[in-house]
Amino acid sequence: MDLFEAIEQRHSVRAFKPDPVPREMIERLIAAAAAAPSAMNEQPWRFYVTTGETRTRVGEIMARGTTHLEEFIDVIGPEHHAKAVEWYSELGHAPVVIVCTMPRVDDEFWRLNKHLSIGAAIENILLAATALGLGACNITFSFYVRDELFEALGVPEDRTMVAIIAVGYAEDEQPAPPSREADVAVYLD
Ligand SMILES: Cc1cc2nc3c(=O)[nH]c(=O)nc-3n(C[C@H](O)[C@H](O)[C@H](O)COP(=O)(O)O)c2cc1C
């Protein structure tokens, strides 16, 4: 698949088939992430790839974190609350969840650099997943259970969590992708 096709076709997938994702495919996603640009070529990312039992543990912890959805009730609307609880508890039955981490840092400038670097790596994962016929969704709601996730996965204390990515084969029925604003630049000659 051409890069621009992947960019256009990528959308967040929130419902997955139960089929496992072959290890070689997951490794290609991680290789795509590791090829991302990073500030000072620091490559601050470490990815914890969960499948099987650890993936189940991630789901249990995320389910407990749904109590925090109350804080977003004005944003998501009370009518979508139950759906949101289901989504974060089950993560669309994604067979793979990738936990994206970076070193903890107090300095604002270096935190910015690390966030942008991991963001680039995450986008590479999302585009590579699209090109491989997989679906994925980047999730920062995991923020609320970051300590529990780190403990369950044995992530060292000098790291912090940026996001998790649900990955798998997309269910056939998918909602229409959201619309895009095209007029997003000011061209100055
Ligand atoms: C930084 C970031 C955080 C996100 N966090 C969540 C999240 O916590 N839960 C979720 O369902 N989707 C999350 N998303 C996915 C966005 O909702 C999605 O990208 C956006 O609605 C546009 O839809 P699309 O990805 O299908 O183009 C996140 C995306 C980004 C870039």
Side-chain angles (χ1 to χ4, degrees), residues 10-14 87-88 137-142 177-178 180:
R10 185 216 59 78
H11 60 272
S12 294
V13 168
R14 296 186 178 86
W87 156 236
Y88 289 116
C137 186
N138 181 36
I139 299 164
T140 52
F141 187 72
S142 49
R180 297 277 182 227

mmCIF file of all heavy atoms in Angstrom, residues 10-14 87-88 137-142 177-178 180, ligand 1:
data_model
loop_
_atom_site.group_PDB
_atom_site.id
_atom_site.type_symbol
_atom_site.label_atom_id
_atom_site.label_comp_id
_atom_site.label_asym_id
_atom_site.label_seq_id
_atom_site.Cartn_x
_atom_site.Cartn_y
_atom_site.Cartn_z
ATOM 1 N N ARG A 10 -6.244 5.242 7.147
ATOM 2 C CA ARG A 10 -6.147 5.043 8.599
ATOM 3 C C ARG A 10 -7.306 5.705 9.322
ATOM 4 O O ARG A 10 -7.677 6.833 9.046
ATOM 5 C CB ARG A 10 -4.825 5.634 9.126
ATOM 6 C CG ARG A 10 -4.619 5.349 10.619
ATOM 7 C CD ARG A 10 -3.953 6.502 11.317
ATOM 8 N NE ARG A 10 -4.701 7.726 11.219
ATOM 9 C CZ ARG A 10 -5.793 8.019 11.954
ATOM 10 N NH1 ARG A 10 -6.229 7.175 12.879
ATOM 11 N NH2 ARG A 10 -6.462 9.158 11.767
ATOM 12 N N HIS A 11 -7.896 4.979 10.206
ATOM 13 C CA HIS A 11 -8.911 5.553 11.094
ATOM 14 C C HIS A 11 -8.884 4.724 12.371
ATOM 15 O O HIS A 11 -8.377 3.598 12.377
ATOM 16 C CB HIS A 11 -10.298 5.544 10.447
ATOM 17 C CG HIS A 11 -10.777 4.175 10.095
ATOM 18 N ND1 HIS A 11 -10.487 3.574 8.886
ATOM 19 C CD2 HIS A 11 -11.486 3.273 10.797
ATOM 20 C CE1 HIS A 11 -11.013 2.361 8.877
ATOM 21 N NE2 HIS A 11 -11.610 2.151 10.011
ATOM 22 N N SER A 12 -9.418 5.279 13.427
ATOM 23 C CA SER A 12 -9.393 4.551 14.692
ATOM 24 C C SER A 12 -10.389 3.401 14.656
ATOM 25 O O SER A 12 -11.565 3.607 14.346
ATOM 26 C CB SER A 12 -9.743 5.507 15.837
ATOM 27 O OG SER A 12 -8.737 6.475 15.964
ATOM 28 N N VAL A 13 -9.897 2.220 14.964
ATOM 29 C CA VAL A 13 -10.745 1.017 14.993
ATOM 30 C C VAL A 13 -11.032 0.684 16.450
ATOM 31 O O VAL A 13 -10.113 0.623 17.274
ATOM 32 C CB VAL A 13 -10.032 -0.150 14.266
ATOM 33 C CG1 VAL A 13 -10.741 -1.471 14.530
ATOM 34 C CG2 VAL A 13 -9.944 0.133 12.769
ATOM 35 N N ARG A 14 -12.304 0.475 16.759
ATOM 36 C CA ARG A 14 -12.688 0.188 18.151
ATOM 37 C C ARG A 14 -13.483 -1.100 18.284
ATOM 38 O O ARG A 14 -14.108 -1.347 19.320
ATOM 39 C CB ARG A 14 -13.487 1.381 18.723
ATOM 40 C CG ARG A 14 -12.665 2.660 18.804
ATOM 41 C CD ARG A 14 -13.384 3.786 19.500
ATOM 42 N NE ARG A 14 -12.561 4.988 19.611
ATOM 43 C CZ ARG A 14 -12.461 5.926 18.667
ATOM 44 N NH1 ARG A 14 -13.158 5.808 17.551
ATOM 45 N NH2 ARG A 14 -11.675 6.975 18.845
ATOM 46 N N TRP A 87 -16.395 0.092 25.901
ATOM 47 C CA TRP A 87 -15.208 0.240 25.039
ATOM 48 C C TRP A 87 -13.931 0.148 25.857
ATOM 49 O O TRP A 87 -13.024 -0.635 25.564
ATOM 50 C CB TRP A 87 -15.307 1.548 24.247
ATOM 51 C CG TRP A 87 -14.011 2.145 23.765
ATOM 52 C CD1 TRP A 87 -13.543 3.392 24.024
ATOM 53 C CD2 TRP A 87 -13.012 1.527 22.922
ATOM 54 N NE1 TRP A 87 -12.320 3.597 23.418
ATOM 55 C CE2 TRP A 87 -11.977 2.466 22.734
ATOM 56 C CE3 TRP A 87 -12.876 0.263 22.333
ATOM 57 C CZ2 TRP A 87 -10.836 2.202 21.975
ATOM 58 C CZ3 TRP A 87 -11.740 -0.004 21.583
ATOM 59 C CH2 TRP A 87 -10.737 0.957 21.404
ATOM 60 N N TYR A 88 -13.846 0.906 26.954
ATOM 61 C CA TYR A 88 -12.601 0.906 27.715
ATOM 62 C C TYR A 88 -12.407 -0.376 28.511
ATOM 63 O O TYR A 88 -11.280 -0.761 28.813
ATOM 64 C CB TYR A 88 -12.524 2.143 28.617
ATOM 65 C CG TYR A 88 -12.311 3.402 27.814
ATOM 66 C CD1 TYR A 88 -13.265 4.402 27.784
ATOM 67 C CD2 TYR A 88 -11.164 3.558 27.047
ATOM 68 C CE1 TYR A 88 -13.084 5.547 27.023
ATOM 69 C CE2 TYR A 88 -10.974 4.690 26.272
ATOM 70 C CZ TYR A 88 -11.935 5.673 26.262
ATOM 71 O OH TYR A 88 -11.745 6.790 25.488
ATOM 72 N N CYS A 137 -6.202 1.606 17.493
ATOM 73 C CA CYS A 137 -6.698 2.845 18.102
ATOM 74 C C CYS A 137 -5.739 3.278 19.200
ATOM 75 O O CYS A 137 -5.379 2.489 20.081
ATOM 76 C CB CYS A 137 -8.100 2.652 18.689
ATOM 77 S SG CYS A 137 -8.822 4.205 19.307
ATOM 78 N N ASN A 138 -5.327 4.520 19.101
ATOM 79 C CA ASN A 138 -4.458 5.136 20.105
ATOM 80 C C ASN A 138 -5.345 5.631 21.255
ATOM 81 O O ASN A 138 -6.364 6.272 21.018
ATOM 82 C CB ASN A 138 -3.752 6.313 19.418
ATOM 83 C CG ASN A 138 -2.809 7.041 20.317
ATOM 84 O OD1 ASN A 138 -2.155 6.429 21.147
ATOM 85 N ND2 ASN A 138 -2.731 8.354 20.178
ATOM 86 N N ILE A 139 -4.955 5.334 22.484
ATOM 87 C CA ILE A 139 -5.824 5.650 23.636
ATOM 88 C C ILE A 139 -4.991 6.295 24.737
ATOM 89 O O ILE A 139 -4.026 5.683 25.230
ATOM 90 C CB ILE A 139 -6.464 4.338 24.175
ATOM 91 C CG1 ILE A 139 -7.324 3.690 23.098
ATOM 92 C CG2 ILE A 139 -7.262 4.601 25.452
ATOM 93 C CD1 ILE A 139 -7.667 2.237 23.390
ATOM 94 N N THR A 140 -5.395 7.496 25.155
ATOM 95 C CA THR A 140 -4.710 8.086 26.314
ATOM 96 C C THR A 140 -5.551 7.998 27.593
ATOM 97 O O THR A 140 -5.068 8.372 28.664
ATOM 98 C CB THR A 140 -4.340 9.570 26.054
ATOM 99 O OG1 THR A 140 -5.496 10.260 25.612
ATOM 100 C CG2 THR A 140 -3.238 9.710 25.032
ATOM 101 N N PHE A 141 -6.767 7.497 27.474
ATOM 102 C CA PHE A 141 -7.607 7.345 28.679
ATOM 103 C C PHE A 141 -6.930 6.422 29.701
ATOM 104 O O PHE A 141 -7.224 6.476 30.904
ATOM 105 C CB PHE A 141 -8.990 6.815 28.283
ATOM 106 C CG PHE A 141 -9.957 6.792 29.423
ATOM 107 C CD1 PHE A 141 -10.478 7.975 29.929
ATOM 108 C CD2 PHE A 141 -10.332 5.597 30.016
ATOM 109 C CE1 PHE A 141 -11.356 7.959 31.002
ATOM 110 C CE2 PHE A 141 -11.210 5.571 31.083
ATOM 111 C CZ PHE A 141 -11.726 6.758 31.583
ATOM 112 N N SER A 142 -6.008 5.611 29.215
ATOM 113 C CA SER A 142 -5.214 4.721 30.078
ATOM 114 C C SER A 142 -4.430 5.502 31.135
ATOM 115 O O SER A 142 -3.969 4.913 32.123
ATOM 116 C CB SER A 142 -4.253 3.913 29.210
ATOM 117 O OG SER A 142 -3.568 4.806 28.328
ATOM 118 N N PRO A 177 -15.672 6.989 9.180
ATOM 119 C CA PRO A 177 -14.637 7.805 9.823
ATOM 120 C C PRO A 177 -15.104 9.249 9.997
ATOM 121 O O PRO A 177 -15.922 9.727 9.203
ATOM 122 C CB PRO A 177 -13.448 7.732 8.853
ATOM 123 C CG PRO A 177 -13.830 6.816 7.756
ATOM 124 C CD PRO A 177 -15.275 6.474 7.881
ATOM 125 N N PRO A 178 -14.607 9.929 11.024
ATOM 126 C CA PRO A 178 -15.046 11.314 11.250
ATOM 127 C C PRO A 178 -14.605 12.228 10.112
ATOM 128 O O PRO A 178 -13.634 11.934 9.422
ATOM 129 C CB PRO A 178 -14.369 11.696 12.565
ATOM 130 C CG PRO A 178 -13.248 10.747 12.731
ATOM 131 C CD PRO A 178 -13.589 9.504 11.993
ATOM 132 N N ARG A 180 -13.087 15.564 8.218
ATOM 133 C CA ARG A 180 -11.812 16.282 8.375
ATOM 134 C C ARG A 180 -11.970 17.720 7.935
ATOM 135 O O ARG A 180 -12.567 17.976 6.896
ATOM 136 C CB ARG A 180 -10.744 15.648 7.482
ATOM 137 C CG ARG A 180 -10.433 14.240 7.829
ATOM 138 C CD ARG A 180 -9.453 14.228 8.964
ATOM 139 N NE ARG A 180 -9.114 12.860 9.274
ATOM 140 C CZ ARG A 180 -9.095 12.391 10.510
ATOM 141 N NH1 ARG A 180 -9.395 13.158 11.515
ATOM 142 N NH2 ARG A 180 -8.762 11.144 10.730
HETATM 143 C C1 LIG B 1 -3.408 11.898 21.466
HETATM 144 C C2 LIG B 1 -4.611 11.038 21.148
HETATM 145 C C3 LIG B 1 -5.325 10.482 22.205
HETATM 146 C C4 LIG B 1 -6.428 9.674 21.937
HETATM 147 N N1 LIG B 1 -7.076 9.089 22.986
HETATM 148 C C5 LIG B 1 -8.142 8.317 22.734
HETATM 149 C C6 LIG B 1 -8.809 7.687 23.816
HETATM 150 O O1 LIG B 1 -8.446 7.812 24.985
HETATM 151 N N2 LIG B 1 -9.886 6.914 23.512
HETATM 152 C C7 LIG B 1 -10.309 6.721 22.233
HETATM 153 O O2 LIG B 1 -11.281 6.002 22.030
HETATM 154 N N3 LIG B 1 -9.680 7.306 21.180
HETATM 155 C C8 LIG B 1 -8.615 8.095 21.403
HETATM 156 N N4 LIG B 1 -7.966 8.673 20.365
HETATM 157 C C9 LIG B 1 -8.442 8.492 18.971
HETATM 158 C C10 LIG B 1 -9.189 9.746 18.510
HETATM 159 O O3 LIG B 1 -10.459 9.788 19.132
HETATM 160 C C11 LIG B 1 -9.322 9.712 16.971
HETATM 161 O O4 LIG B 1 -8.037 9.725 16.406
HETATM 162 C C12 LIG B 1 -10.093 10.915 16.450
HETATM 163 O O5 LIG B 1 -11.425 10.898 16.888
HETATM 164 C C13 LIG B 1 -10.090 10.960 14.909
HETATM 165 O O6 LIG B 1 -10.627 9.751 14.403
HETATM 166 P P1 LIG B 1 -9.778 8.797 13.451
HETATM 167 O O7 LIG B 1 -8.568 8.331 14.220
HETATM 168 O O8 LIG B 1 -10.713 7.672 13.104
HETATM 169 O O9 LIG B 1 -9.352 9.585 12.262
HETATM 170 C C14 LIG B 1 -6.842 9.463 20.596
HETATM 171 C C15 LIG B 1 -6.112 10.021 19.547
HETATM 172 C C16 LIG B 1 -4.999 10.794 19.819
HETATM 173 C C17 LIG B 1 -4.203 11.366 18.666
#
